Amino acid sequence: MHDLIVIGAGPAGSSAAITAAQAGARVLLLEKGRFPRHKVCGEFVSAESLELLFTLLATEYAESLGEAIRIPQSRIFLDGRVLQAEIVPAAASISRFDLDLALWNSAVHAGVEALEQTTVQNVLWADSFRVQTTRGNFESLAVIDASGRWSNLTAKPAATPREKWLGVKGHFAENSPLASVDLYFFDGGYCGVSPVELTGHSAASTNTRRINACAMVRADVASNLAEVFELNSALR
């Protein structure tokens, strides 16, 4: 019998599991995928979130991510104008490839029982929660569902016509990228661009400095980054 079962080991699930374990709970963390992995994400971490993050990470990961690129400014590109603003305290840019793995390993370090490649099929309630998975059944006094909006556990809204939106992301090379988070707006969406450092398993070569371009765009406007780049001349 666990005190808590957390379903989904992204930043929300891993953080919840670590927090509960630090408070003395017996925690089981279930993840249908495996780490490390890339995710569609802006990879921008605010100063407020950084302060919390370092209370969750094991020492070795806190030290490693503590050296992440700092982002002290932002630029907004809209209607041919550029708006600039300082970010105080400075934010950070951390790849999800590195962040998710660091949180997963920190959960294990905190005493969380963590199982990858385990799909939750159903959650039942009697006198306790019974979580049915592809690796057997588990019981707990409480359950947190952090499996995300596309999970088989998430209630789906009634089928009604609505706009479809896409998240698309890519890493690119650039010499001496500016330490800024830039937002490019266009009809039907926006694209965020910022430098990111690839470390550990995510570093494919000795040149680990990259530019992360991540867009949220309406599906009828663009379906890939090449099309997104054509929607704003400054972004292109």
Side-chain angles (χ1 to χ4, degrees), residues 181-226:
V181 56
D182 299 339
L183 299 177
Y184 299 82
F185 289 87
F186 45 83
D187 288 339
Y190 74 97
C191 182
V193 177
S194 59
V196 64
E197 194 86 19
L198 305 186
T199 65
H201 294 289
S202 65
S205 68
T206 55
N207 178 16
T208 59
R209 184 63 64 90
R210 294 285 186 269
I211 290 291
N212 177 33
C214 188
M216 178 66 71
V217 61
R218 217 171 57 228
D220 64 324
V221 172
S223 61
N224 56 59
L225 280 175

Side-chain angles (χ1 to χ4, degrees), residues 134-234:
T134 51
R135 296 179 62 169
N137 298 334
F138 302 94
E139 288 188 82
S140 69
L141 301 176
V143 170
I144 292 176
D145 178 10
S147 57
R149 67 178 299 186
W150 303 115
S151 166
N152 61 303
L153 302 176
T154 303
K156 300 299 187 291
T160 56
R162 61 173 186 160
E163 293 178 340
K164 292 184 179 180
W165 289 75
L166 302 175
V168 289
K169 165 188 165 179
H171 283 165
F172 300 86
E174 180 176 322
N175 292 326
S176 302
L178 185 66
S180 172
V181 56
D182 299 339
L183 299 177
Y184 299 82
F185 289 87
F186 45 83
D187 288 339
Y190 74 97
C191 182
V193 177
S194 59
V196 64
E197 194 86 19
L198 305 186
T199 65
H201 294 289
S202 65
S205 68
T206 55
N207 178 16
T208 59
R209 184 63 64 90
R210 294 285 186 269
I211 290 291
N212 177 33
C214 188
M216 178 66 71
V217 61
R218 217 171 57 228
D220 64 324
V221 172
S223 61
N224 56 59
L225 280 175
E227 293 176 353
V228 166
F229 295 159
E230 294 299 319
L231 299 173
N232 182 300
S233 59

